[in-house]
Amino acid sequence: MAGASTPAIRTLTQARVEHRVHSYAHDPRADSFGAEAVAKLAVDLGVEPEQIFKTLVIELSTGALAVAVLPVPRALSLKAAAAALGASKAAMADRGKAERTTGYVLGGISPLGQKRALPTVVDASALRWDRMLCSGGRRGLEIELAPADLVRLTGATTAAVATS
C-alpha cells in the first residue's frame, strides 16, 4: 500500500525484511479489532484465521510491561505468558499505559517499531506458518511477514501462550 508508513513498517524496511502491507477500512463500531481483521482479510488473502495475530500488552508481576502475540481466534494464557517472560504472574495492561509505552493506539499496537521495545513472547503456533499477519501500527493496517523475521526483530521468546 503506497503511502502507508508507520514505525512498524519503517522497522521492516530499514531491516530489509520481506513483507507485504494490507489495509482495510476500519469500522469504528467494531467490537473486536482482531475479529474485524480476520473478517476482512482471511478470505481475501486466502489465509487461515489462525495466521492473523493480535498484539496484547500485559503487565508482569515485576511491574514491567511486555507483549504477547497470538492468533486472533485464541485467548491468552496470562500464566503461560508470565512464565515465558520470567515472571510469576501477568495481567492485561492498562490501556493508557500500553498506548503511551508503545506509541500506538489500542487496536493498532504492533509488536514492531514500538516507542520503547518491550519484552515479547510470540505464540509457538506462529512457527508452523510460512507467513503470518500482525498489526502494522494502525487500525485497519496489517503486515504479512515470515514468523522467524518477527521473532528475530522483536527479540521474542516463542512459547505456547494461546488457549482455545
Side-chain angles (χ1 to χ4, degrees), residues 24-40:
Y24 59 88
H26 164 63
D27 181 349
R29 298 166 301 185
D31 290 339
S32 165
F33 300 113
E36 179 185 35
V38 167
K40 295 196 175 185

Side-chain angles (χ1 to χ4, degrees), residues 32 43 46-47 58 61 65 69 82 87-88 96-97 99 102 104 113 117-118 125-126 136 140 142 148 151-152 157:
S32 165
V43 172
V47 298
I58 58 176
S61 53
L65 292 185
V69 182
S88 58
K97 194 185 273 189
E99 290 180 343
T102 64
Y104 294 118
L118 298 174
S125 69
E142 294 285 313
V151 169
R152 181 175 52 82
T157 298

Side-chain angles (χ1 to χ4, degrees), residues 86-110:
S88 58
K89 291 183 187 176
M92 294 305 298
D94 169 75
R95 177 186 182 148
K97 194 185 273 189
E99 290 180 343
R100 282 189 305 277
T101 304
T102 64
Y104 294 118
V105 298
L106 201 69
I109 295 177
S110 177

Side-chain angles (χ1 to χ4, degrees), residues 82-136:
L85 295 165
S88 58
K89 291 183 187 176
M92 294 305 298
D94 169 75
R95 177 186 182 148
K97 194 185 273 189
E99 290 180 343
R100 282 189 305 277
T101 304
T102 64
Y104 294 118
V105 298
L106 201 69
I109 295 177
S110 177
L112 296 161
Q114 296 170 358
K115 189 169 21 171
R116 191 173 80 202
L118 298 174
T120 301
V121 60
V122 174
D123 187 67
S125 69
L127 301 178
R128 71 180 232 225
W129 305 106
D130 291 337
R131 310 292 285 165
M132 66 182 289
L133 286 93
C134 66
S135 175

Side-chain angles (χ1 to χ4, degrees), residues 139-158:
R139 294 173 185 156
L141 194 64
E142 294 285 313
I143 300 169
E144 180 181 343
L145 74 165
D149 287 331
L150 177 66
V151 169
R152 181 175 52 82
L153 288 174
T154 59
T157 298
T158 57

